[in-house]
Amino acid sequence: MAEYDAIRRFVDEVTTEPESIARARAHAVELGADPISAPIGAQIAVLAATTAALNIVEIGTGGGVSGLWLLHGSPRATLTTIDKEPEHLAAARVAFADAKIPPARARFITGRAADVLPRMNEASYDIVLVDADAEGVIEYVEHGLRLVRAGGTVLVPRVLAGGAVADPVRRDALTNSYRSLIQETQSSPAVLGALSIVGEGLLQLTTTDRR
């Protein structure tokens, strides 16, 4: 455990966050938005870059931190971000303007993801990031897999629940949801899945043509 903690501290220390994202993070923390960590942000930026993502959906705005990381990785992408908290969306608008993101590259939707996602076009997005209402994570991932194109990617940060998913004694609803999500997607022929333990954990799911 001590070795893992040392590795995590090292990764946190060496990950460089652009100044505009660092400012967005500080504001998000003030709002209580709990944005993703810089190491997770760097990972999703690389994934956005390597997949040349052009259309991205973000469930849970987090004050704009995760959206900025995604657009940092794919400068030509258009981001649709969904959050039920108008204050978080307002903070993201400010953060995007501060980062010189053109208004046409970001679409902000206020509402519950469970109400918004069913109305979105399926197989139309390159990446769907799921970072909201952990109790509904399985439902949101199902929507995400419907929304991404063949070969698209669904990303789920915080999936390790602070280490709780690895503790067989933990049986609370939230831990069980994340644990079930990991187990089901790892065994599903419809997706290829990888689990990163850096930061707060990141589940990466890529659709296959066997759905």
Side-chain angles (χ1 to χ4, degrees):
M1 180 62 71
E3 181 181 1
Y4 173 73
D5 289 341
I7 292 172
R8 181 171 180 173
R9 284 194 300 272
F10 176 77
V11 172
D12 287 341
E13 291 170 0
V14 301
T15 301
T16 301
E17 191 163 58
E19 291 184 5
S20 60
I21 302 181
R23 289 192 293 270
R25 177 181 303 284
H27 192 191
V29 170
E30 290 177 0
L31 295 176
D34 191 22
I36 61 170
S37 67
I40 293 296
Q43 287 190 61
I44 66 173
V46 168
L47 289 166
T50 56
T51 58
L54 293 178
N55 295 293
I56 301 172
V57 174
E58 176 186 53
I59 306 168
T61 305
V65 173
S66 49
L68 287 174
W69 272 114
L70 288 164
L71 293 175
H72 179 66
S74 187
R76 295 174 55 225
T78 298
L79 174 76
T80 299
T81 184
I82 305 165
D83 204 295
K84 64 183 179 181
E85 299 292 343
E87 193 174 18
H88 293 179
L89 288 163
R93 288 180 185 274
V94 172
F96 280 33
D98 178 55
K100 305 293 192 297
I101 303 296
R105 288 181 53 208
R107 177 187 180 204
F108 301 88
I109 299 178
T110 305
R112 294 176 62 252
D115 298 328
V116 175
L117 294 173
R119 303 197 299 267
M120 301 184 74
N121 294 330
E122 63 180 76
S124 299
Y125 300 91
D126 302 301
I127 292 176
V128 174
L129 176 76
V130 179
D131 187 27
D133 301 330
E135 295 80 4
V137 65
I138 293 178
E139 176 187 357
Y140 297 153
V141 168
E142 289 174 348
H143 278 297
L145 291 171
R146 178 182 63 82
L147 293 177
V148 294
R149 59 170 174 76
T153 304
V154 176
L155 303 173
V156 189
R158 310 182 206 278
V159 75
L160 297 179
V165 294
D167 183 354
V169 177
R170 292 289 296 271
R171 294 290 177 180
D172 58 278
L174 179 58
T175 302
N176 283 339
S177 291
Y178 279 131
R179 190 178 289 133
S180 295
L181 173 64
I182 294 169
Q183 292 171 341
E184 290 176 12
T185 53
Q186 289 296 305
S187 61
S188 171
V191 297
L192 298 175
L195 180 61
S196 169
I197 62 172
V198 171
E200 57 271 42
L202 179 69
L203 181 63
Q204 306 163 54
L205 304 172
T206 299
T207 60
T208 72
D209 59 4
R210 293 172 287 176
R211 287 189 289 178

